Amino acid sequence: MEENDTRTGAQLFADTVQRLGFTHALHIAGEGILEMIDALATEHPGIAHIAFRHEAGMVYAAQAMGQQQGRPALCLAARAPGALNTALALHTADTDAAPLVLVIGQASQTQAGQDPLSGSDLGAVFRPLVKEVLEVASVEQLPMTLTRAWHAAASGRQGPVVVVVPENLMHLRGNSSLVPDGPPPVARAGIALPALRTLKQWVASARRPLLLLGGTGWSDGDRDRLHALAHHLGWPVACSYRRGHLFDNAHAHYAGELGIGIDPALFDAVESADLVVAVNVRLGELNTFGPGGFGGRRLLAPIKGRRLVHLHPSTHELQRTTVADLALALEPAAALVALETLEPGSTESDWVARCRAARVVWTDSGHCPGPLDLRQVFQTLRERLTDETVVTVGAGAYAVWLHRYFTLRAPRTLLGPKSGAMGYGLPAAIGAALAEPGRPVVAVAGDGCFMMHAEEMATAMQQGLDLLLLVVNNQGYGAIRASQQRLFGRTVGTDLQNPDFVGWAQAFGAHAERVTKTDDWLPALDRMLAMSGLRLIELQLPPTVAKPL
Ligand SMILES: Cc1ncc(C[n+]2csc(CCOP(=O)(O)OP(=O)(O)O)c2C)c(N)n1
């Protein structure tokens, strides 16, 4: 092989990353990835380097970027200490069907496994958490393995893919012709015509049909077609947990969101439907959550007289948790094409209006005790923000207020972990801001949730990002406090003594204010919206506030 036809492993890595269309490399530099980072910077300076403060924050940002861009984002972690910090965030990317590629720089092949820093069997560690783990054994394999990782992350049910790269490969040489020209075309599953005929018959006779939407892999244009479809068929539409942005929440056909905090009336509507068509929805624990909470009644258990049609890109998700009468492996785009061939059936004349009326009652009710009314906070926040604003949220009782009272109007405007991972909101907001510079982003967090990855305020400042953070401070793990009260009549270890959030944010260089009563909220919000950069509003509440009453 001619020396000038060859590139080092590090150069091959950098060339492949560039050809696959990655625009950003998110990382915390360290042993194992130093050669890759250096080659990216020197060979392809157009790729932006974003330095994070915790690897989980980095992966949350990458998974938010991946979802917002509709193609995988790239992040890199150094050997075992960096890699193992990513575990919950990788699991969250998997629950959220978020496309990303995490490259882990492993010790050299001769060294691996010899001491804690050179790492254990990282493939074995990550395999249960992610869509796929690929390990590179030779420099020749490197470009193809990265390409395969990109495709695995982007195709079918999207998700996180880990690539483990031994450090010594960076110095070996491989042929430059191994580098792909660009991202590979994504393989697509198709439509089964006999099944479509069956579906048409069921739709024709359904009296109370309902469309459920979820998942990733939709395009912004699909959303207009979904509105047109709901209108054409005359069906109500609900979204899976934290996918409310897939359908305009103000639309006359919108019936609400499944999952934690579900409106009991929506639960009843889904149970009383005689045909449910679930598109791209995972029918696991979260989306079948009942109003009674954990251990309560489940949605969509097989019911006599109700037909369930499940369309999902992954055969693994079909017939997994409940029995569907028709289960087809279809990606959202193909499912949409199939549904667009349907004709309206004999739907009850007031079915859509009944579902919609219940939704309106739900969002117009609910009480917040104390001097600062969170219902008003989230309703007026909606009025002040543009429809395009992206809102990110983690886990806690505070999130229920956002989900119930903040009307999502535009596509890709909500990012929230389906794993229930606390700490997600701020790093995800960073990812969303990196993915679409100029698009407004607001992160909402509880005091507990915020502090799990508050270190990423430094990253946001360093990148000069425009972010607004709302910290709902009820001085404790409120959701858990409420569960403890319900289960045991007392609380243990769930009260929190917090720092002065305003002073803390200011120490990072952010603008910050504290609000303790409803009348002060809008003036504070308006002051913050008039400014740019990193801004934080602490919403200070009595410890008694958790979910809407
Ligand atoms: C990483 C992680 N650890 C623990 C939990 C369990 N958990 C769920 S909600 C919650 C409390 C959240 O507290 P906070 O962010 O202050 O919100 P609040 O419930 O008070 O509104 C905890 C500890 C979790 N979901 N994620």
Side-chain angles (χ1 to χ4, degrees), residues 213 223 226-227 230 237 239 244-249 251 254 408:
L213 304 173
R223 197 162 173 280
L226 287 168
H227 291 154
V237 177
C239 293
H245 56 98
L246 294 177
F247 204 87
D248 182 354
N249 296 184
H251 196 283
Y254 188 63
L408 297 165

Side-chain angles (χ1 to χ4, degrees), residues 88 395-398 420-422 446-449 452 474 476-480:
L88 171 60
Y398 72 89
M422 290 166 68
D447 47 318
C449 194
M452 281 212 184
N474 60 0
Y477 295 135
I480 307 303

Side-chain angles (χ1 to χ4, degrees), residues 171-383:
H171 306 287
L172 304 178
R173 298 191 79 86
N175 197 309
S176 57
S177 65
L178 299 168
V179 175
D181 289 338
V186 175
R188 305 274 176 209
I191 303 171
L193 289 176
L196 196 56
R197 271 198 292 276
T198 306
L199 179 58
K200 282 185 176 169
Q201 287 163 9
W202 292 354
V203 168
S205 63
R207 304 283 293 147
R208 291 175 307 285
L210 183 98
L211 184 62
L212 288 182
L213 304 173
T216 53
W218 299 95
S219 73
D220 289 0
D222 289 342
R223 197 162 173 280
D224 292 337
R225 288 167 60 195
L226 287 168
H227 291 154
L229 178 73
H231 201 260
H232 168 66
L233 292 175
W235 290 13
V237 177
C239 293
S240 64
Y241 185 56
R242 300 190 147 170
R243 301 290 189 195
H245 56 98
L246 294 177
F247 204 87
D248 182 354
N249 296 184
H251 196 283
H253 289 243
Y254 188 63
E257 197 182 287
L258 308 186
I260 296 172
I262 187 174
D263 172 7
L266 175 60
F267 186 91
D268 292 343
V270 180
E271 288 302 84
S272 68
D274 59 357
L275 174 66
V276 174
V277 177
V279 184
N280 209 24
V281 177
R282 240 183 165 190
L283 295 176
E285 185 187 17
L286 207 57
N287 287 325
T288 60
F289 213 77
F294 288 100
R297 274 178 68 209
R298 293 259 147 222
L299 260 189
L300 293 173
I303 293 183
K304 220 175 161 48
R306 196 248 331 272
R307 287 186 170 122
L308 174 62
V309 175
H310 194 189
L311 312 180
H312 197 283
S314 165
T315 48
H316 176 70
E317 292 299 327
L318 299 170
Q319 311 297 25
R320 187 167 72 89
T321 54
T322 187
V323 180
D325 301 279
L326 184 64
L328 298 177
L330 284 184
E331 294 190 24
L336 191 49
V337 169
L339 295 175
E340 283 172 337
T341 67
L342 299 173
E343 289 303 328
S346 42
T347 307
E348 284 174 9
S349 57
D350 63 345
W351 170 237
V352 171
R354 269 173 21 228
C355 293
R356 181 64 194 165
R359 165 77 184 169
V360 172
V361 167
W362 179 242
T363 52
D364 282 354
S365 59
H367 169 66
C368 183
L372 179 55
D373 183 342
L374 286 179
R375 178 174 149 198
Q376 279 196 45
V377 163
F378 286 108
Q379 285 174 333
T380 53
L381 179 67
R382 169 69 295 167
E383 290 161 18

Side-chain angles (χ1 to χ4, degrees), residues 433 436-440 466:
E436 290 177 285
R439 189 168 178 179
D466 287 330

Side-chain angles (χ1 to χ4, degrees), residues 465-467 511 528-535:
L465 299 179
D466 287 330
L467 297 182
H511 306 287
M528 287 297 170
L529 290 176
M531 288 188 270
S532 57
L534 186 65
R535 292 144 291 157

Side-chain angles (χ1 to χ4, degrees), residues 376-389 406 440 442 468 470 519-530 537:
Q376 279 196 45
V377 163
F378 286 108
Q379 285 174 333
T380 53
L381 179 67
R382 169 69 295 167
E383 290 161 18
R384 287 297 201 271
L385 300 178
T386 60
D387 287 352
E388 300 304 316
T389 303
F406 189 85
V442 176
L468 175 62
L470 302 181
D519 285 349
D520 295 341
W521 153 247
L522 275 182
L525 176 65
D526 288 341
R527 280 191 293 277
M528 287 297 170
L529 290 176
I537 301 178

